[in-house]
Structure formats: C-alpha cells, structure tokens
Amino acid sequence: MKRALILSGGGARGAFQVGVWKYLREINWTPDLICGTSIGAVNAAAIGSGMSVEHLIDIWKTHNRSEIYRLKALKVLSSALYGRPFKSVFDTAPMRAMLTRHLNLEALRRSPIEIVISAVHLATGRLHLYNQDVIEIDHLMASSAMPILFPWQPIRGELYWDGGVMANSPLFIALERKIEEIIVVLLSPVGHRPLPPPATLREGLELLLEHFLMGSYQTTMPVTNGLAMHACDEAPPKGPHAQKVIETGLQPRISVIAPTQMLGFTSLLNFSSRQVTRLIHEGYHNARRQLGKRG
C-alpha cells in the first residue's frame, strides 16, 4: 500500500474532513487505506461506499441536530434526582436511521479502498478494529458513541463505545502497514498554531478537551519524529516501537491538516448548517494550502 488517509474523531467537527476530501478528489489523490474513528469512521464508511463528494456534502448540510440525536431530558433528570439507571444524555436513534438510509453497505463491501474503523470494548477498554468486510451500522454507531453523551452500542452481544477513547487518530494502523504517504486530518488546532495559555476555567477545560482529541496522534508521532532525528545523525529514537520502525527502514511522508482556531465544546454537537458550511470551507482551503498540487 502506498497511501493512507487518517480521519480523527470530533463529532460535528467532522464536516472539516468533508472539505479536505473534496480537495483530495479535485487533485485525484486516492488512498489505498482509510482509517477512521468516531465521526471519522462514519465519513470513512461513506467514502468507502462510493458516495460522491456532492452527496456527502449535501447530507452534512441538510441534516440538523434533531436528525442526529435527541435529548432525553426526563430520563437524565430522573437518573440525577432518583438514582435510576443511567445510559446516556442523548438518544441516537435518529443517527442510526440516517445512516441506514444513506449508507450502501453492499457497495462498502466491494470498496477498492480498505476501510478500517475502531471501537472500544466497554468492559476491557481494548481497542477493536473492523474493516469493510464486517462493518455494519452497529459498528459505526459504536465507534461514534461519545461516552456519557451517546449510548454505548452492542456488537454481537458485547458493549462498545467511541474508539476515540483509546485512539482518536488511528495513525498507528498506517504505520504498521508501512504506508509510504499518509494524510492525517485532525479536528483540533492544538500543536498546529501558537495558542495562548487559558485565561478562564472554561478555556482550561476546552484546552483539556483539545488535548484529549490530540492524544493518540501526539503519542504516535514521536516514532516519525525520531526517524527524522536519526537520519540527521542526532540522538536515535527510543522505545520498542521506534526501534521496530527504524529496523524496517520505513520513513513515511506525513502531511497533517487541521483547523486553525479553537472551536469550543459546543462545536462537537453543533450540526447547524452554518457551522457545517464554515468547516467544509475551512477544510477545503486548509488542504489546498497544505498539499498544493499533489497528485
């Protein structure tokens, strides 16, 4: 395999990925592998099913919050006041119905692009990976089941939730496959532009969220940073994973595309046409600036 696209999790911020994909289609950049987590898994499955960019954009722009989730106000209140069993703040039945209507799983099975998504086993915390040979709506619902907010999902009798808990940016899959060229689409600006320290409690909590979204990417990237240092005859990278990659001689070309500004808590669940349109536009133009005329 030569090319991989990594789509991170980040709820409604996933519209940014659609803008990136629009640009990649314009320059005829086609991946051999797409790895997605949470909303990245949903976008990956849509791309793998052969859905056109225009159709994908239309879905994002025309499905508002009520067609993705509903607030379970009475159940949440009774849980808080009377100690009744709690499962989630929102009901995601509308999202399941929307995915069922729009996703062609049979076309996904035939995809020439390998699609890999992730979900976390609720009881063990282990990350499970699934490719298009087995992906069903249940797997997509599990991968995007944001803890506490969305309900965990059963897969063959076992409970799972958001893959972002353990690997929000599943870059490691592409590195293990010895992919030559990797494009990573992040849904947080942290690490890609100077940010001032938080001045308020809210800003501090928002920065904590951004660090969570970036965690798995940041812990994977030292492998490639170490390779660059080693090539310059500086201190060699440390750790078993870095050593393993050095032994293979793999030096992947990695490009990262990310938003340029803090988006805040509310952006995760904001499926308004206004935010979606803005993020698609930003994703497209950020990809254009970052990637140029790559083919």
Side-chain angles (χ1 to χ4, degrees):
M1 289 187 179
K2 295 183 178 181
R3 292 173 166 176
L5 179 64
I6 311 299
L7 301 178
S8 303
R13 298 181 187 184
F16 181 88
Q17 297 170 348
V18 179
V20 174
W21 180 242
K22 178 183 178 182
Y23 181 71
L24 294 179
R25 289 288 76 219
E26 287 186 5
I27 63 172
N28 295 315
W29 192 92
T30 301
D32 304 288
L33 169 70
I34 303 178
C35 305
T37 292
S38 198
I39 194 62
V42 174
N43 282 333
I47 294 169
S49 71
M51 186 179 294
S52 69
V53 173
E54 294 74 20
H55 188 188
L56 186 56
I57 290 174
D58 182 66
I59 291 174
W60 269 93
K61 286 186 174 181
T62 58
H63 288 73
N64 60 32
R65 176 189 61 78
S66 65
E67 295 172 281
I68 306 298
Y69 61 85
R70 292 188 295 256
L71 176 63
K72 300 191 296 184
L74 292 179
K75 291 185 178 181
V76 172
L77 184 62
S78 65
S79 174
L81 295 178
Y82 306 111
R84 292 178 180 173
F86 174 81
K87 289 188 177 180
S88 67
V89 175
F90 300 105
D91 173 19
T92 53
M95 178 179 173
R96 176 181 288 274
M98 184 271 292
L99 291 177
T100 301
R101 286 196 309 273
H102 291 288
L103 273 182
N104 185 336
L105 293 178
E106 289 306 313
L108 179 61
R109 302 273 181 271
R110 301 190 298 270
S111 175
I113 304 172
E114 183 177 6
I115 308 297
V116 178
I117 69 171
S118 66
V120 172
H121 191 273
L122 193 66
T124 66
R126 292 185 60 186
L127 187 71
H128 288 218
L129 303 178
Y130 306 94
N131 69 10
Q132 72 263 40
D133 292 337
V134 301
I135 291 173
E136 301 284 352
I137 299 300
D138 285 347
H139 297 83
L140 297 173
M141 294 298 295
S143 182
S144 54
M146 290 186 281
I148 308 302
L149 296 178
F150 291 174
W152 49 71
Q153 297 290 326
I155 298 177
R156 296 183 179 179
E158 299 287 328
L159 298 179
Y160 294 80
W161 63 10
D162 202 311
V165 172
M166 294 296 172
N168 198 52
S169 300
L171 174 59
F172 74 94
I173 301 171
L175 294 177
E176 290 179 352
R177 302 287 186 87
K178 303 179 183 179
I179 301 294
E180 298 172 10
E181 182 181 5
I182 305 171
I183 293 177
V184 182
V185 186
L186 302 175
L187 298 180
S188 169
V190 171
H192 296 279
R193 62 177 292 262
L195 296 173
T200 65
L201 175 61
R202 180 184 178 88
E203 289 180 1
L205 292 174
E206 288 181 345
L207 183 59
L208 178 61
L209 169 65
E210 302 300 332
H211 283 178
F212 169 78
L213 294 176
M214 292 289 294
S216 63
Y217 166 76
Q218 295 288 17
T219 56
T220 306
M221 279 304 291
V223 174
T224 51
N225 288 342
L227 281 170
M229 291 171 61
H230 189 61
C232 295
D233 293 326
E234 298 182 28
K238 298 179 180 180
H241 296 295
Q243 185 61 39
K244 179 179 179 182
V245 176
I246 289 172
E247 289 172 356
T248 66
L250 174 64
Q251 298 187 35
R253 177 186 180 187
I254 300 179
S255 299
V256 178
I257 306 166
T260 56
Q261 60 184 341
M262 294 286 281
L263 299 173
F265 290 123
T266 58
S267 64
L268 295 177
L269 296 174
N270 181 6
F271 289 89
S272 68
S273 177
R274 181 177 180 179
Q275 173 170 283
V276 165
T277 300
R278 178 172 60 83
L279 287 177
I280 291 174
H281 181 270
E282 184 179 1
Y284 176 87
H285 286 282
N286 284 15
R288 186 176 182 178
R289 284 192 296 270
Q290 177 72 23
L291 302 176
K293 294 297 183 180
R294 180 177 306 184

